Amino acid sequence: MTSIRREVGELRELPAGEYRKRPQQLEELLFSSLENVFVESVEVADMVVRVEALSTARQAACPGCGCLTGRILGSCLRFPRDLPAAGRFVVMALRVRRFVCAEDSCPRKTFVEQVPGLTRRFSRRTERLRSTLVSVGLALAGRAGARMTDVFGAPVSRNTLLRLIASLPDPLTAAPRVVGVDEYAQRKGRIYGTLLVDVETRRPIDLLPNREADTLAAWLAERPGIEIVCRDRAPFFADGATRGAPQALQVADRWHLWHNLGEAAEKCVYRHRGCLRPAPAPPDESPEEAESAASSPWPTGHRFAERTRAKHATIHALLGRVVKVPTGRTR
């Protein structure tokens, strides 16, 4: 607590709008979980916090061959953005070095060091800002996530969030036991592929570029733990499942069972359509009704038209009657 009070007192003695702190007092505050990072100064001006730091690692591993080297060719500055602090944008001026690879056979002769947990190649954000944006993107996706980043002071576009999510590695999944196989259309009527789904978790596993039996058999052969293959009645799927997973039991899924049952019932009814009783003949209509129906502008055979026609006839029948209404007066 004494050191913190001393630092606050030093900050109050500096001019307003610009504050500097000694590096040894800031390393634990800004980079407590990182090693080999030395903070030179911190400047606060208006709405931007500028942190000047440098890497102090003596060696770095070549990303091409993995060989450690300590030969330094030069240095350069990187300006990654960090998480905001007290509503201000934080920008780092990080000095990193370019090393010379010690392996003569390595095609990468020189490389720039990366600070683990802080930077990565071609990135303009620190790792902690990147992980925060990834969490927002996974929780809220594009537009809603972009609005949320505006709230906590690290605004990015929805496309940036989607690109960060797309760059994540695929999550590790357990070997499936029950696999669903079906086709999908890349271009309907022309190009089709194969969709594989884990039936127990109801999650897609893989997409195959075609629906050939050899492709499916090769995919199933790489996963000997499959016990049940749920598929439709396509012959290429049957052949691929038989050759790729001979130990698996092949079953039809519920949708194809109902679909096949409906087709079988429709074919059966069509074959026995002659056994159906003929529809009864409609009763004969009087010539007057036929003539009135023919002259009517309303269509016949529809329940709404018949109801309208009946109301029309009732109204005209009432118009033809003479109704005397007593008024209580004498003339």
Side-chain angles (χ1 to χ4, degrees):
M1 293 298 295
T2 305
S3 60
I4 295 177
R5 293 192 186 98
R6 188 183 303 116
E7 292 173 7
V8 174
E10 292 175 1
L11 286 174
R12 290 176 179 174
E13 295 174 359
L14 292 175
E18 181 176 353
Y19 304 96
R20 292 179 177 271
K21 293 175 69 178
R22 290 197 299 270
Q24 61 269 21
Q25 298 172 335
L26 293 170
E27 291 175 4
E28 295 184 359
L29 178 64
L30 298 176
F31 307 105
S32 58
S33 60
L34 300 178
E35 297 179 356
N36 302 323
V37 176
F38 179 76
V39 179
E40 292 183 321
S41 65
V42 175
E43 299 179 5
V44 181
D46 296 332
M47 297 301 295
V48 179
V49 179
R50 178 185 173 92
V51 181
E52 295 184 0
L54 56 87
S55 174
T56 60
R58 296 183 178 182
Q59 291 181 330
C62 175
C65 62
C67 180
L68 288 175
T69 180
R71 294 178 55 190
I72 300 175
L73 180 64
S75 64
C76 60
L77 282 175
R78 296 186 62 178
F79 300 94
R81 285 183 54 188
D82 201 1
L83 287 172
R88 292 182 172 91
F89 294 102
V90 177
V91 178
M92 295 187 59
L94 179 64
R95 182 170 293 278
V96 292
R97 293 158 296 176
R98 180 174 290 274
F99 287 85
V100 179
C101 183
E103 185 67 30
D104 296 336
S105 60
C106 180
R108 186 186 294 273
K109 301 301 181 182
T110 64
F111 62 92
V112 176
E113 64 176 335
Q114 304 297 332
V115 181
L118 185 62
T119 63
R120 68 171 57 192
R121 195 179 182 193
F122 301 128
S123 178
R124 295 181 294 178
R125 303 176 183 88
T126 60
E127 286 297 291
R128 48 193 176 191
L129 177 57
R130 179 188 176 90
S131 62
T132 302
L133 295 177
V134 168
S135 301
V136 173
L138 291 175
L140 301 176
R143 287 186 173 87
R147 291 193 292 267
M148 179 58 68
T149 57
D150 290 336
V151 174
F152 65 79
V156 294
S157 65
R158 62 185 181 92
N159 292 328
T160 299
L161 291 177
L162 296 179
R163 281 195 300 268
L164 291 175
I165 295 173
S167 65
L168 294 176
D170 294 334
L172 297 177
T173 57
R177 192 181 66 89
V178 183
V179 176
V181 182
D182 203 352
E183 61 185 6
Y184 72 97
Q186 300 178 7
R187 187 176 179 184
K188 193 171 183 179
R190 295 177 178 245
I191 304 175
Y192 287 87
T194 303
L195 171 65
L196 297 127
V197 179
D198 190 341
V199 178
E200 293 181 325
T201 61
R202 299 185 179 183
R203 292 183 176 273
I205 303 174
D206 203 351
L207 294 176
L208 303 183
N210 53 52
R211 53 180 180 180
E212 301 294 332
D214 297 336
T215 306
L216 178 60
W219 190 91
L220 293 174
E222 297 176 356
R223 296 160 179 82
I226 296 176
E227 301 178 6
I228 301 175
V229 177
C230 186
R231 61 172 182 83
D232 63 3
R233 299 173 58 189
F236 40 82
F237 287 155
D239 186 19
T242 302
R243 290 191 285 129
Q247 79 284 355
L249 175 66
Q250 299 185 33
V251 298
D253 61 89
R254 181 172 54 186
W255 186 89
H256 284 98
L257 284 176
W258 281 106
H259 183 67
N260 295 336
L261 178 61
E263 288 182 342
E266 184 179 358
K267 292 178 181 178
C268 180
V269 172
Y270 180 78
R271 285 197 303 266
H272 296 83
R273 66 186 183 278
C275 302
L276 299 176
R277 295 180 180 179
D284 297 335
E285 297 181 356
S286 62
E288 296 179 357
E289 293 180 355
E291 183 179 355
S292 62
S295 60
S296 175
W298 298 98
T300 58
H302 197 277
R303 60 190 183 96
F304 295 109
E306 298 295 338
R307 186 167 56 187
T308 304
R309 188 177 294 108
K311 291 181 179 179
H312 181 269
T314 303
I315 291 172
H316 280 270
L318 292 175
L319 289 176
R321 298 179 183 177
V322 178
V323 180
K324 293 182 180 181
V325 181
T327 59
R329 297 180 180 179
T330 58
R331 294 183 179 179

